[in-house]
Amino acid sequence: MKSDVQVAVIGGGIVGVSVLYWLAKLGWTDSVLLERRELTSGSTWHAAGNTTYFGPYPKMTALFAGSIRTYLQAEKETGQSVGFHKTGSLRLAASERELELFHVYAPRYANLGIPFHIRSPEEVSGLHPFIDTGSIHGAAHTPTDGHVDPTGATNALAQAARNLGSSIERHCPVGAISKSAGKWWIETSSGAVTAEHVVVATSFWAREMLAPLGLNLPLYPTQHHEIITESLPQVAALDTELPAMRDSWVSCNVRQERDGLLIGIYEREPEFWALDGIPPDFKEELLPPNLDPLMPHLERLMERMPLFAEAGIKVANNGPMCFTPDGLPLIGPLPQMDGLWLAAGFNVGIGTGGGSAEILAKWMTTGQPPSGLDAIHADRFGTRIDRESALSSIRDVYARGYHLPDSI
Ligand SMILES: Cc1cc2nc3c(=O)[nH]c(=O)nc-3n(C[C@H](O)[C@H](O)[C@H](O)COP(=O)(O)OP(=O)(O)OC[C@H]3O[C@@H](n4cnc5c(N)ncnc54)[C@H](O)[C@@H]3O)c2cc1C
C-alpha cells in the first residue's frame, strides 16, 4: 500500500471513485482510495441508477449531464459497460403552474445544449402508453438522459483510474485522521498513510469520521424505498424501453426495469436511520421495508399509471441514503483545515457524482473554486447547525420530493 501520497480519497462509492478518476484525468495520479469494505458497499450498490437532466437549477443540471458524460467516458476508456439506458425522462406537469415553470426552464436547457421539449398530454401518451394523461397538463421531456448501472459505472471509473496510475485499497477501514508537520495522517487497518490532501467521500459516515476534528456536519441517513414489480406482459410487449416518469402529485419516479417497473418514492413522513451512530458492523445491507407510509403514494400511482394496479410487487428495497438540510451535497475545502476536502451528502449521487467529482478535482488541481456553485459549498452550514433543526429541514426537503420552487 502507498503510505505517502499527494491525495488520499476515503470512501469507495460512486462519489469517491469518481473523484479518484477525475484527479487522475487531471494529472494527479499520486493518490490512493481507501475503502472500508468493497467498492459500492455503502448506498451505491442498491441505487436505481436514475440520472435525469430535469431540474429547476441549470448548474445542477450541468452536474447531471457531466455525470453521464463521465461514466460514458470511463466506459470508452476501459471497455467496461456502465449500463447506460438512454430512455429519456418525462417530468409530468401535475398543475398549470408546473407547465408554466417548464416554459421558464426551456431556454436554460437550450443554453446548456441539452434537448428539452414541452409535450402535450396527447404527446405524452405517444411516448408512454401507461400514463393516464386525463389529469395532467403536459410534461417536460428530456430525451437524452436515462439510467446507469451504479456498480458497473463505479467499477469502470475505478479501472480507468487504476490504468492512469492511481491506487485503490479495499478492506482498508480508516480510523483517526489528524494533521501533523504539515501533512494529514490517516490511520488505517493496514498502517498509516500520510497525504497532502484528503478527500472525505464517506457519505453518512463522514459526520462521525470528522467530529473528532471539531467539525459538526449536518449529514444524516434517511431511509429510502424502491419497489420493483413482477414482469408485466404489457411491458414485455414493448419495442422500446419506456421513458422514466417523475410526478410531483404522486411524489415518485417510475422507470422500466426489465419487463417490470421500478418505483422510487419520496414519502411525506420520511424515517431516519442510525441517528445515534452507524453500526460498526454495517455491511452491504438493506433495512427492513416499511410500506405503510408509502401506501397513499402507491394509491395515487395506481390512478396515474393504472397498469401499476395490475402488478405484483416483487421486491421492496429500503436503503440508507445521506441527506443534508437543503438536499444538496457538501463539496469543497473545509475552512481552517488546509488540504481537507469534502464530497459527501449526496442523495442523488449516481445522477450527480461524476459531474461533481469533475468540479471538485478541477478545484483541487487549480485552486480555483467553481463559479456560481455556492449552493453546494462544503462550509455553507457553518459548524453550529444543531441536530434537531438539521433533521427538521431534512424531513421537509425530503417530503417535498418533486416540488418545484415557486421563485423562477
Ligand atoms: C433505494 C435507493 C435508491 C436510490 N436510487 C438512486 C437513483 O436512482 N439515482 C441516484 O442518483 N441516486 C440514488 N440513490 C442515492 C445513491 O445511492 C447515493 O446518493 C449514492 O450512492 C451516494 O454515493 P456516495 O459515494 O456518496 O456514498 P456511498 O455509496 O455510501 O459510499 C461511501 C463509502 O464510504 C465507505 N466508508 C465509510 N466509512 C469508511 C471508513 N471509515 N474507511 C473507509 N471507507 C469508508 C463505505 O464503505 C462506502 O463504500 C438511491 C438510494 C437508495 C437508498
Side-chain angles (χ1 to χ4, degrees), residues 353-397:
S356 302
E358 180 180 8
I359 293 222
L360 180 68
K362 284 185 178 156
W363 193 345
M364 292 176 71
T365 53
T366 64
Q368 294 300 314
S371 70
L373 274 170
D374 292 0
I376 55 171
H377 277 206
D379 61 351
R380 67 185 180 278
F381 293 106
T383 54
R384 281 196 290 278
I385 181 158
D386 68 83
R387 171 167 144 159
E388 274 325 305
S389 51
L391 296 185
S392 157
S393 300
I394 291 172
R395 248 183 235 111
D396 192 42
V397 80

Side-chain angles (χ1 to χ4, degrees), residues 10-16 34-38 40-44 46-50 172-174 201-203 205 209 224-226 317 319-321 346-351:
I10 311 174
I14 189 103
V15 173
L34 307 165
E35 164 55 45
R36 181 183 68 105
R37 292 181 54 80
E38 294 290 348
T40 78
S41 71
S43 293
T44 297
H46 54 64
N50 295 319
C172 189
V174 166
T202 51
S203 186
W205 283 273
M209 179 174 268
H224 183 62
H225 287 80
E226 67 188 10
N317 290 333
M321 178 162 94
F346 289 79
N347 64 68
V348 281
I350 316 304

Side-chain angles (χ1 to χ4, degrees), residues 176-262:
I177 303 172
S178 58
K179 194 153 194 192
S180 165
K183 286 215 166 196
W184 287 98
W185 283 73
I186 301 153
E187 303 296 337
T188 83
S189 56
S190 313
V193 176
T194 53
E196 216 176 300
H197 298 272
V198 179
V199 181
V200 175
T202 51
S203 186
F204 43 74
W205 283 273
R207 181 177 165 70
E208 287 170 54
M209 179 174 268
L210 295 176
L213 295 177
L215 292 163
N216 173 25
L217 298 168
L219 297 165
Y220 293 96
T222 59
Q223 303 187 30
H224 183 62
H225 287 80
E226 67 188 10
I227 288 173
I228 303 173
T229 71
E230 302 282 2
S231 293
L232 287 151
Q234 297 91 327
V235 176
L238 294 169
D239 293 331
T240 51
E241 191 169 343
L242 291 168
M245 179 206 91
R246 292 179 178 78
D247 183 4
S248 62
W249 182 68
V250 184
S251 193
C252 84
N253 57 68
V254 183
R255 73 161 169 84
Q256 185 174 337
E257 169 74 4
R258 297 176 188 273
D259 293 335
L261 302 171
L262 186 157

